[in-house]
């Protein structure tokens, strides 16, 4: 097998066990916190401003300036840490991480090193696996580098620097290196993304860089406990890219190892268009960040009360909500996970169920199919959807047999943009299911008269032809005929022949 | 001496400083003196609670309130807007950007 060429062979499960090797993945995620201002100065924390609009002497690293910690950022980081089950340390320390790069005007990044804000923690995945968190710490973002002129146009031999992002509050979340497959890595990121939105710690906007991921991967012989040599893939900015990059990297390393080679410890970049990771020019010099405690900032000392205040503000978390949906509403796990995907969608579903309690399963189906499709078509948010009580009223008409599913879709579409009740709409459009024999008989006679071929087939013993005739009645009645009654009448009429 | 010439060379390299062999010896001596002096300070016990351990103030209501962007307004001591000052001080600029020699690979920073 040519591993290097096969990008889909092992799929999302990673390197197959029968190769004798197993995958070990660790993720490092950077999350921009949703504050109004930066971490150590009161410049706005906002995406999309004019280049170098949101800067001041502090975040530009001018001599003589002093940082002042954003306490709201600390609170958001505490809340996020608690949501991930971490232990928040009563005492943590900011440290300087020294390196030279054009996006870092001070020549160091204020981060945390040996005394991070929080440690431990775990995140349950829908698959039943768990990802353990190693640590969570606070730091500041760096500026942004552009390698072409905005709006296109080459920039040979030069880069542009925009410092608007410099100093934006970041939380770095590091997992234990024990994730077993690219699929679990992707699932972890998706759950983490939900937690960010549930807690309000971040807007989680991946296109704007609010959530960025570096992934480490190594292989080791099955049964071995020591870690193999890892490579790091930097700056993955979509869930799919993370899985794709890790799948490729796992297969690449397997190829190297099984052909007797050695994996080089290095940093690689992922090229989304080709699905390939590539070695970044790496100097043979080990990084030496010369961390030391930030002398311009006091130690962060948190009172129990302050940590408790954040604990009290934690919402019901995605995995708890999902389990509750499954148990309380009798949903399958995947359905429960989908409906608890966002707080807004979960609230919508629960409000609809409250309005039509017997319909918890039917409502779930309608929300997952009709509602989501309609939202997508209209490119709108669930908050702008038809009121959940109105959707529930439509579903109630289906559950009571008043409307066929087809007719109900029509009523829902009409109810979306009108103030009439679904009941009124059903009447106005004449969509209530007809069980009235006189009307059904008239449609049945029409169907029989107009479809001699199907009638002959049915009488000749081809029973499926009856379904075709029922379909004709449904069509003539614009979906309002009650299919079982229609079928009964057809059968009776044809038996007389 | 707590710092040797080898360490001074390494520090100079990390700090992107080019120093002569004579300076290496001089700095090794001077830096050692500084480090040794800090070690001496460690022995001092002031007997009081450390300033560091004061609980971090959390109830600063306006702590996360933005002040007007400095880039647009004048900087403290000068009537020139900060952005202009900053771009004037830069070796090169393009529109509102700082212009630097191309950097593409990541040396290990967060970007």
């Amino acid at each position: 097998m040519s591993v290097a060429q096969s990008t889909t062979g092992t799929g999302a499960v990673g390197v197959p066990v029968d190769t004798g090797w197993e995958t070990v993945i660790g993720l490092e995620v950077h999350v921009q916190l949703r504050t109004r201002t930066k971490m150590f100065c009161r410049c706005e924390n906002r995406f999309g401003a004019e280049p170098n609009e949101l800067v001041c002497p502090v975040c530009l690293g001018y001599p003589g300036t002093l940082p002042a910690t954003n306490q709201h950022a600390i609170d958001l980081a505490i809340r996020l840490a608690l949501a991930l089950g971490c232990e928040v340390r009563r005492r943590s320390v900011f440290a300087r991480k020294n390196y030279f790069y054009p996006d870092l005007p001070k020549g160091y990044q204020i981060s945390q090193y040996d005394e991070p804000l929080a440690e431990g923690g775990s995140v349950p995945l829908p698959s039943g696996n768990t990802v353990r968190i190693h640590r969570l710490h606070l730091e500041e973002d760096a500026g942004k580098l552009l390698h072409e002129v905005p709006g296109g146009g080459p920039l040979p031999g030069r880069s542009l620097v925009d410092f608007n992002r410099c100093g934006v509050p970041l939380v770095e979340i590091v997992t234990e290196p024990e994730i077993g497959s690219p699929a679990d890595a992707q699932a972890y990121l998706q759950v983490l993304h939900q937690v960010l939105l549930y807690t309000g710690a971040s807007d989680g906007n991946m296109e704007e860089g609010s959530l960025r991921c570096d992934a480490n991967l190594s292989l080791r012989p099955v049964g071995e406990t020591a870690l193999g040599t890892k490579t790091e893939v930097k700056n993955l900015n979509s869930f799919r890219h993370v899985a794709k990059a890790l799948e490729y990297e796992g297969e690449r390393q397997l190829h190297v190892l099984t052909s007797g080679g050695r994996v080089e410890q290095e940093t690689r970049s992922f090229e989304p268009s080709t699905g390939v990771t590539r070695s970044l020019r790496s100097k043979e010099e080990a990084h030496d960040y010369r961390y030391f405690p930030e002398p311009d900032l006091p130690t962060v000392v948190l009172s129990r009360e302050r940590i408790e205040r954040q604990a009290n503000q934690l919402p019901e978390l995605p995995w708890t909500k999902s389990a509750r949906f499954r148990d309380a509403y009798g949903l399958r796990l995947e359905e429960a996970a989908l409906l608890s995907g966002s707080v807004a969608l979960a609230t919508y579903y629960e409000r609809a169920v409250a309005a039509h309690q017997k319909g918890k399963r039917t409502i779930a189906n309608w929300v997952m199919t009709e509602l989501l499709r309609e939202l997508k078509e209209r490119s709108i948010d669930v908050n702008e959807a038809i009121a959940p009580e109105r959707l529930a009223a439509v579903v109630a008409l289906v559950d009571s047999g008043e409307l066929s599913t087809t007719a109900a879709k029509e009523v829902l579409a009409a109810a979306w943009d009108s103030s009439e009740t679904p009941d009124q709409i059903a009447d106005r459009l004449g969509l209530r299911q007809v069980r009235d024999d006189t009307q059904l008989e008239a449609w049945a006679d029409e169907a029989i008269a107009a479809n001699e071929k199907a009638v002959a087939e049915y009488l000749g013993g081809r029973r499926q032809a009856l379904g075709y005739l029922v379909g004709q009645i449904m069509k003539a009645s614009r979906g309002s005929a009650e299919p079982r009654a229609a079928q009964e009448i057809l059968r009776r009429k044809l038996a007389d022949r | 001496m707590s710092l040797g010439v080898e360490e001074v060379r390494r520090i100079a390299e990390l700090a992107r400083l080019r120093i002569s062999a004579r300076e290496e010896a001089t700095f090794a001596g001077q830096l050692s003196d500084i480090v040794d002096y800090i070690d001496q300070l460690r022995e001092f016990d002031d007997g009081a609670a450390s300033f560091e351990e004061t609980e971090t103030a959390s109830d600063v209501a306006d702590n996360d309130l933005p002040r007007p962007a400095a880039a647009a307004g004048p900087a403290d001591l000068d009537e020139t807007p900060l952005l202009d000052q900053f771009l004037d001080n830069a070796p090169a600029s393009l529109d509102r950007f700082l212009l630097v020699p191309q950097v593409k690979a990541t040396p290990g920073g967060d970007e």
Side-chain angles (χ1 to χ4, degrees):
Chain A
M1 180 178 75
S2 167
V3 181
Q5 283 172 6
S6 157
T7 50
T8 52
T10 58
V13 293
V15 173
V17 177
D18 62 16
T19 59
W21 296 87
E22 66 179 4
T23 310
V24 182
I25 296 168
L27 296 178
E28 218 175 80
V29 175
H30 288 97
V31 174
Q32 288 184 343
L33 293 174
R34 207 177 70 177
T35 57
R36 296 182 63 187
T37 67
K38 292 187 179 181
M39 189 67 218
F40 299 113
C41 64
R42 297 297 80 80
C43 283
E44 267 187 275
N45 167 17
R46 171 161 63 85
F47 183 85
E50 289 293 307
N52 292 307
E53 179 185 348
L54 311 174
V55 296
C56 75
V58 177
C59 55
L60 287 178
Y62 279 23
T65 57
L66 285 172
T69 310
N70 184 335
Q71 295 300 323
H72 186 52
I74 292 191
D75 282 335
L76 288 178
I78 294 172
R79 197 187 305 168
L80 181 56
L82 293 170
L84 300 175
C86 299
E87 176 158 0
V88 175
R89 297 161 50 104
R90 299 281 307 281
R91 180 184 193 281
S92 66
V93 174
F94 285 112
R96 289 190 184 178
K97 177 182 182 179
N98 299 280
Y99 64 93
F100 284 110
Y101 213 58
D103 59 10
L104 193 71
K106 294 196 298 293
Y108 59 86
Q109 177 194 32
I110 304 180
S111 179
Q112 294 188 306
Y113 184 52
D114 50 357
E115 298 189 70
L117 184 83
E119 292 170 318
S122 67
V123 173
L125 305 183
S127 67
N129 294 342
T130 296
V131 172
R132 288 193 301 156
I133 308 286
H134 175 62
R135 60 182 266 155
L136 179 152
H137 74 245
L138 269 163
E139 59 187 30
E140 56 178 341
D141 210 341
K144 202 179 172 93
L145 292 165
L146 285 79
H147 305 294
E148 56 179 41
V149 179
L155 197 65
R158 293 279 182 279
S159 298
L160 299 173
V161 196
D162 176 3
F163 289 120
N164 284 343
R165 201 178 69 180
C166 197
V168 163
L170 276 190
V171 154
E172 179 177 318
I173 306 161
V174 184
T175 72
E176 295 291 352
E178 57 183 21
I179 301 171
S181 70
D184 270 1
Q186 182 180 346
Y188 161 75
L189 285 175
Q190 284 168 324
V191 174
L192 179 62
H193 184 249
Q194 285 180 358
V195 174
L196 297 178
L197 299 183
Y198 266 62
T199 55
S202 171
D203 65 19
N205 191 324
M206 297 183 82
E207 277 117 59
E208 295 179 1
S210 300
L211 174 60
R212 315 194 289 271
C213 179
D214 301 338
N216 295 308
L217 183 143
S218 62
L219 299 184
R220 66 182 167 196
V222 173
E224 172 66 59
T225 49
L227 294 169
T229 306
K230 68 181 177 185
T231 55
E232 182 179 30
V233 189
K234 282 254 177 206
N235 281 329
L236 297 161
N237 60 359
S238 94
F239 300 132
R240 273 309 294 151
H241 290 177
V242 171
K244 282 258 173 235
L246 288 170
E247 280 163 25
Y248 178 84
E249 198 47 28
E251 294 182 11
R252 188 190 67 83
Q253 290 190 16
L254 182 66
H255 182 64
V256 170
L257 292 167
T258 51
S259 49
R262 273 174 52 186
V263 173
E264 295 288 326
Q265 175 152 358
E266 62 182 353
T267 301
R268 302 176 69 87
S269 74
F270 176 66
E271 186 49 60
S273 58
T274 55
V276 164
T277 68
R278 213 174 282 291
S279 179
L280 286 169
R281 168 184 64 91
S282 74
K283 287 197 191 136
E284 284 313 310
E285 157 200 2
H287 301 305
D288 181 348
Y289 293 123
R290 292 151 293 145
Y291 281 98
F292 62 88
E294 166 59 81
D296 289 340
L297 288 168
T299 302
V300 179
V301 181
L302 303 172
S303 66
R304 261 182 237 290
E305 294 71 35
R306 183 169 180 186
I307 298 170
E308 255 162 43
R309 258 200 307 282
Q310 292 308 317
N312 292 336
Q313 286 186 44
L314 281 185
E316 181 182 31
L317 293 165
W319 47 87
T320 316
K321 198 185 277 292
S322 175
R324 180 169 64 76
F325 276 18
R326 183 194 56 200
D327 299 340
Y329 302 126
L331 304 178
R332 288 202 308 275
L333 189 64
E334 315 83 78
E335 297 171 329
L338 195 143
L339 288 171
S340 56
S342 80
V343 176
L345 189 65
T347 308
Y348 187 97
Y349 170 65
E350 292 206 275
R351 274 178 59 189
V353 170
H356 173 45
Q357 304 226 1
K358 280 186 215 149
K360 45 198 179 200
R361 283 205 49 85
T362 7
I363 289 175
N365 285 332
W366 278 74
V367 169
M368 289 185 297
T369 54
E370 296 307 310
L371 183 84
L372 291 184
R373 188 172 49 72
E374 197 66 29
L375 292 179
K376 201 172 169 195
E377 260 168 35
R378 295 176 182 233
S379 313
I380 56 170
D381 201 66
V382 67
N383 299 318
E384 303 160 83
I386 182 172
E389 293 76 13
R390 287 167 67 75
L391 177 102
V394 174
V395 175
L397 289 172
V398 179
D399 284 346
S400 67
E402 293 285 310
L403 288 183
S404 70
T405 305
T406 319
K409 286 178 189 170
E410 207 172 318
V411 172
L412 181 70
W416 198 294
D417 301 306
S418 110
S419 55
E420 284 177 291
T421 65
D423 251 316
Q424 290 167 330
I425 292 168
D427 286 336
R428 178 167 57 80
L429 298 178
L431 289 171
R432 278 186 202 278
Q433 298 218 92
V434 177
R435 272 171 285 190
D436 165 44
D437 280 357
T438 330
Q439 178 63 64
L440 283 177
E441 276 186 32
W443 282 326
D445 288 337
E446 273 172 41
I448 289 168
N451 297 283
E452 280 171 21
K453 192 170 158 234
V455 170
E457 278 177 17
Y458 175 74
L459 293 176
R462 195 165 163 271
R463 301 182 58 191
Q464 297 95 308
L466 191 68
Y468 177 78
L469 293 169
V470 173
Q472 296 310 302
I473 294 181
M474 297 310 294
K475 208 165 150 190
S477 68
R478 289 176 58 227
S480 68
E482 210 279 303
R484 220 164 305 154
Q487 190 176 344
E488 225 15 77
I489 284 179
L490 272 175
R491 203 173 273 149
R492 181 156 41 80
K493 281 185 179 291
L494 291 172
D496 294 343
R497 290 207 157 191
Chain B
M1 210 158 49
S2 48
L3 276 182
V5 169
E6 272 305 310
E7 281 167 301
V8 169
R9 265 186 217 138
R10 173 90 180 119
I11 294 166
E13 189 195 330
L14 288 166
R16 308 286 195 273
L17 293 174
R18 191 178 296 126
I19 55 177
S20 68
R22 242 184 74 193
E23 285 172 317
E24 282 170 7
T26 309
F27 289 141
Q30 291 179 347
L31 287 171
S32 292
D33 286 348
I34 294 171
V35 171
D36 292 345
Y37 181 66
I38 289 169
D39 276 343
Q40 265 184 52
L41 285 177
R42 279 195 184 150
E43 291 164 19
F44 178 68
D45 177 10
D46 65 359
S50 164
F51 157 78
E52 272 203 344
E53 299 303 321
T54 322
E55 191 172 292
T56 308
S58 63
D59 51 355
V60 193
D62 60 354
N63 181 265
D64 187 30
L65 290 185
R67 42 141 202 70
D76 287 348
L77 299 174
D78 194 321
E79 288 304 305
T80 318
L82 181 70
L83 178 62
D84 296 340
Q85 273 187 33
F86 153 68
L87 293 177
D88 284 348
N89 285 329
S93 65
L94 180 70
D95 296 332
R96 299 174 59 104
F97 293 98
L98 181 68
L99 189 66
V100 298
Q102 186 170 44
V103 273
K104 270 205 167 158
T106 65
D110 285 306
E111 177 54 49

